[in-house]
Amino acid sequence: MFNKKIDKSLLSGSTSMLVLALLRESDKYGYQMITELALKSDNTFELKEGTLYPVLHALEKDGALKSYDKVAPNGKTRKYYSITKQGLELLEEKTEQWNTFAKAVNSTLMVKGTV
Amino acid sequence: MKRDEYYITKNWLDTAVSKIRYGPDRRRVRKELAAHLEDAADAYMEGGNYSLHEASEIALRNMGDACELADELGRIHKPYLAYFCNFMVILAVLFVLIFGKAEQLDINGKNYAMKNEHANVEMLFDEENRLVYEQNSAVKIGEYDIYVDKAAITDYPNGSRYITIKLNIETDKLSYMKPQFFRYMTVEDEYGNVYRLEEDTSNIGLRFMTNYGDITGKSMIAVYFDAIEKDAVNYMVKYDRAGVSFELPVVLGGK
């Protein structure tokens, strides 16, 4: 039977790109990102939720994100992340890499006649 | 019961942050992860009629393995920068201690021990802005007692407020002391605002921007500051120099 959930290793390399893409829309906190990611991908991107935080912290350390405390709609203070100019540039770069990669993979699969 | 201290999550959180070696970082990350677990458990309770216990278990399962997460977080949160900052603070403290001691010996050969005895002073002002105050006790600095001598509040049309506090030391004059480096006297009000005071020295003692014309033969320390919170009435005058250190809480009454 076809399993909609994708191989974890395919997702791990692109998590930071997905996070940056989510934050390009608006500032968000961790749990909010997880729920939106699941919603937008129709539950295709269901990663172990804890793995989001090393990604966020690494991006923040590299200057792609900034964080601040803010009261969330549920009335509790949450750590929000926002994308920086550097983060937008990184997202553009990663998107370009992804498109090149996807195109190459698709071409190869087409040649083999498997798609 | 605090949700993040719930027994199921506590161990998981402790493990997840166990490899972050710098304490403040560790606490920040722990708080963030605890908030995530709390949000997730709330969502499961609302959406699936789970108990808190069940919802917390599901939230933890979805977070993944705490040990793996600990390894990743430990790799990102290197303590070196934090340790470097702490090292610089220690160096600065050592510098202050060393030079503070040298300066201490310059003060007329007297040895000023550090004391932290406080004085509580209630001050009230009359309509002409003259001070009426009530003094409770003196600040002990070494062998000397310091008393609040005078204080005044002046409000200017541009909205700025100036406060001057004069403290008298009942002792012989202090000798001239050349400042070795800047260490400002500060005043902190009840809102947590810290005001830096300008500093002056003279051969009649230590003064801090005193604008008194009635300089007597007695040594004195006076402070002068502005741009304060209009509504603040509680101030903490802090002084730390030349081996002399004190904190003086002052209450200023309304006019």
Side-chain angles (χ1 to χ4, degrees), chain A residues 20 55-67 82-90:
Chain A
L20 289 168
V55 173
L56 286 173
H57 297 176
L59 286 170
E60 187 179 20
K61 193 179 163 193
D62 292 341
L65 300 181
K66 278 185 177 176
S67 69
S82 65
I83 192 165
T84 63
K85 191 182 168 203
Q86 203 176 323
L88 288 170
E89 287 167 2
L90 182 64

Side-chain angles (χ1 to χ4, degrees), chain A residues 8 29-32 34 47-58 61 69 74 76-79 81, chain B residues 12 29 31-33 35-36 38-40 42-44 59 61-64 69 72-73 75-78:
Chain A
K8 204 169 74 171
Y29 59 95
Y31 183 72
Q32 189 183 6
I34 290 290
L47 65 164
K48 282 294 178 193
E49 295 173 17
T51 59
L52 173 71
Y53 291 95
V55 173
L56 286 173
H57 297 176
K61 193 179 163 193
D69 285 340
N74 63 7
K76 291 165 184 169
T77 303
R78 293 293 178 250
K79 187 178 175 185
Y81 291 87
Chain B
W12 189 93
V29 176
K31 190 177 163 192
E32 189 179 24
L33 295 174
H36 185 114
E38 185 180 352
D39 286 343
D42 281 347
Y44 292 126
R61 260 204 313 276
N62 288 341
M63 281 294 262
L69 182 57
E72 288 189 58
L73 289 172
R75 268 195 295 274
I76 292 163
H77 293 272
K78 301 279 186 199

Side-chain angles (χ1 to χ4, degrees), chain B residues 12-222:
Chain B
W12 189 93
L13 287 168
D14 287 343
T15 306
V17 300
S18 60
K19 293 192 177 171
I20 302 174
R21 288 165 59 197
Y22 185 56
D25 270 1
R26 188 167 58 245
R27 285 186 286 277
R28 271 193 293 271
V29 176
R30 193 184 193 283
K31 190 177 163 192
E32 189 179 24
L33 295 174
H36 185 114
L37 285 170
E38 185 180 352
D39 286 343
D42 281 347
Y44 292 126
M45 281 194 290
E46 283 169 21
N49 293 324
Y50 293 109
S51 67
L52 172 62
H53 182 92
E54 292 164 334
S56 299
E57 278 188 332
I58 299 169
L60 275 184
R61 260 204 313 276
N62 288 341
M63 281 294 262
D65 184 75
C67 295
E68 285 177 20
L69 182 57
D71 287 339
E72 288 189 58
L73 289 172
R75 268 195 295 274
I76 292 163
H77 293 272
K78 301 279 186 199
Y80 307 127
L81 184 61
Y83 286 150
F84 177 73
C85 290
N86 287 349
F87 177 69
M88 293 308 288
V89 170
I90 290 167
L91 267 186
V93 169
L94 283 174
F95 184 79
V96 166
L97 288 175
I98 291 166
F99 283 87
K101 187 159 186 173
E103 210 172 23
Q104 174 184 331
L105 298 175
D106 285 342
I107 307 174
N108 213 17
K110 293 184 186 301
N111 183 25
Y112 290 84
M114 289 179 71
K115 295 279 183 183
N116 277 311
E117 293 175 37
H118 291 178
N120 292 302
V121 181
E122 177 82 16
M123 297 182 184
L124 297 172
F125 296 84
D126 63 18
E127 286 180 3
E128 293 175 11
N129 222 14
R130 288 179 308 199
L131 172 70
V132 181
Y133 67 93
E134 188 179 307
Q135 187 168 281
N136 295 333
S137 60
V139 181
K140 192 85 176 168
I141 298 182
E143 59 191 283
Y144 305 118
D145 292 326
I146 291 186
Y147 295 93
V148 172
D149 183 51
K150 290 182 179 177
I153 288 182
T154 311
D155 285 324
Y156 286 89
N158 67 2
S160 61
R161 166 175 280 193
Y162 291 78
I163 292 187
T164 307
I165 300 172
K166 179 182 169 190
L167 312 173
N168 266 348
I169 305 176
E170 291 192 341
T171 181
D172 296 329
K173 287 191 294 184
L174 297 173
S175 64
Y176 173 70
M177 184 180 71
K178 188 178 177 182
Q180 295 189 357
F181 61 97
F182 287 108
R183 202 180 328 156
Y184 289 101
M185 191 169 181
T186 59
V187 176
E188 183 177 349
D189 70 18
E190 65 204 75
Y191 297 102
N193 300 313
V194 177
Y195 307 101
R196 197 179 71 180
L197 305 171
E198 290 191 57
E199 170 185 310
D200 186 22
T201 60
S202 79
N203 59 4
I204 65 156
L206 303 175
R207 293 188 300 168
F208 292 87
M209 290 301 290
T210 175
N211 56 359
Y212 287 95
D214 58 339
I215 294 172
T216 65
K218 287 181 180 178
S219 300
M220 64 181 188
I221 297 173

